[in-house]
Amino acid sequence: MILSTREMLLKAQREGYAVPAFNIHNMETLQVVVETAMEMESPVIIAGTPSTIQSYAGPDYIKAMAEVAANKYNVPIAIHLDHFEDVDDIKRNINIGFKSCMIDASKYEFEKNIEIVKEVVDYAHRYDAVVEAELGKLGGKEDDLIIDEKDALYTNPDDAAEFVRRTNVDSLAIAIGTAHGLYKGEPKLDFQRLEAIRSKVSVPLVLHGASDVPDELVKKAISLGICKVNVATDLKIPFANAIRTFFNENSVESDPRKYMAPGKEAMKQIVKHKIEVCGSANRY
Ligand code: 13P
């Protein structure tokens, strides 16, 4: 069954682990995520950005594939609209059955962010769908969204409390030093800030930009209250590298069933590892 992420994240919050949210792009990547989650008995969130869901695959395809996977395996699956900025796209997807979304209005100032998020929350809750929002600004590149490091902004704990209270949002993505994509140096996470936010905000907290962050830092963030961890880049790179290697060794092969297979296998190893880091194995 396709679930809303509400129960999943509240259970993770109660039990002190994180649900991994993996960005997928097509049938193959969705299969890897769901099959690996099933093998490890881990709840999982399948995430798709607008350029995957709206432009590349189409919401109906993604939803149908996720439903097939959910019916085939007895694993709690949620499909989640990741970094959506267009309120009407979110509403349309909720209308066709998506139960979980992120409205990313983090590029706007505080009051405008609240206004947009509140509109989405009011709509989503009527359809039993849940909403994640972001306060603060992550650096790096996600989809077509590029934030220069100098424009990244850490989340203020008091603002976070007010934001959650006024929007009634279900979970909150916070900026504590992670960035989308690869890091230039070792990432530094502001754990004190995380603790301060955790003490003032009761909804599940989300860590974006978890690729290329040392496992120990991600685990520490989870121990301090993060209960959803988003991973995209760390899956894409090994998938592409394995296919590149395959073509270097088999330059005339043209069968996608052959050249996709090593990409899937490489991605699977990372999905497994991330599930271990999140502590979400054997949780259902
Ligand atoms: P990374 O690409 O850095 O893993 O970020 C993924 C993410 O936060 C998706 O929302």
Side-chain angles (χ1 to χ4, degrees):
M1 203 179 60
I2 301 287
L3 297 176
S4 122
T5 48
R6 182 183 280 119
E7 292 75 22
M8 253 185 207
L9 294 186
L10 291 176
K11 182 171 185 296
Q13 191 176 32
R14 274 195 310 275
E15 297 181 13
Y17 63 94
V19 180
F22 296 114
N23 284 79
I24 56 95
H25 306 93
N26 53 19
M27 182 188 76
E28 285 79 5
T29 47
L30 186 143
Q31 283 175 326
V32 172
V33 168
V34 176
E35 287 166 14
T36 312
M38 182 209 61
E39 279 172 32
M40 299 183 73
E41 302 194 356
S42 170
V44 75
I45 296 169
I46 297 164
T49 55
S51 61
T52 298
I53 294 188
Q54 298 302 124
S55 316
Y56 182 71
D60 43 359
Y61 267 101
I62 294 286
K63 178 173 168 271
M65 287 193 298
E67 273 168 0
V68 169
N71 292 336
K72 190 170 157 96
Y73 305 112
N74 187 23
V75 44
I77 294 179
I79 37 174
H80 176 75
L81 306 167
D82 188 30
H83 285 290
F84 271 59
E85 296 185 50
D86 186 316
V87 173
D88 290 332
D89 279 345
I90 292 181
K91 288 180 179 172
R92 271 192 290 273
N93 286 325
I94 288 174
N95 292 350
I96 65 164
F98 280 79
K99 294 279 180 214
S100 181
C101 67
M102 175 196 195
I103 170 71
D104 185 355
S106 61
K107 68 181 178 196
Y108 296 108
E109 45 81 31
F110 190 65
E111 290 297 329
K112 179 85 178 158
N113 191 350
I114 288 184
E115 185 192 320
I116 296 170
V117 171
K118 202 167 161 358
E119 179 183 349
V120 174
V121 169
D122 289 346
Y123 191 85
H125 285 181
R126 273 191 263 145
Y127 296 90
D128 196 30
V130 293
V131 183
E132 171 186 325
E134 179 169 317
L135 188 65
K137 239 184 241 173
L138 257 68
K141 179 179 185 319
E142 176 63 48
D143 235 14
D144 304 326
L145 193 70
I146 301 170
I147 306 283
D148 201 87
E149 247 171 65
K150 69 176 174 11
D151 297 322
L153 274 184
Y154 283 24
T155 308
N156 174 294
D158 291 318
D159 286 353
E162 182 181 346
F163 186 87
V164 170
R165 183 173 49 74
R166 286 177 57 194
T167 56
N168 200 19
V169 76
D170 300 281
S171 59
L172 186 68
I174 55 172
I176 55 166
T178 55
H180 291 119
L182 299 178
Y183 294 80
K184 291 197 186 96
E186 169 117 346
K188 290 196 178 42
L189 304 199
D190 186 343
F191 290 118
Q192 264 182 343
R193 184 178 297 270
L194 169 56
E195 280 181 300
I197 298 169
R198 177 72 295 162
S199 72
K200 289 172 191 270
V201 169
S202 62
V203 297
L205 299 178
V206 180
L207 189 69
H208 280 248
S211 290
D212 201 25
V213 178
D215 293 345
E216 291 321 308
L217 297 188
V218 176
K219 284 184 184 168
K220 178 148 191 211
I222 295 169
S223 77
L224 295 176
I226 289 290
C227 43
K228 173 172 175 272
V229 169
N230 287 19
V231 181
T233 306
D234 272 354
L235 305 183
K236 281 194 286 194
I237 292 175
F239 192 95
N241 283 347
I243 295 177
R244 232 184 317 271
T245 303
F246 177 90
F247 278 123
N248 286 340
E249 291 164 3
N250 308 270
S251 57
V252 294
E253 183 57 66
S254 62
D255 185 338
R257 293 162 297 187
K258 299 236 170 81
Y259 62 72
M260 285 289 200
K264 289 178 76 174
E265 184 50 40
M267 181 174 158
K268 180 175 180 159
Q269 298 313 318
I270 305 296
V271 170
K272 263 188 177 166
H273 181 70
K274 298 289 179 187
I275 287 175
E276 276 160 12
V277 171
C278 284
S280 60
N282 305 309
R283 293 287 184 171
Y284 72 85

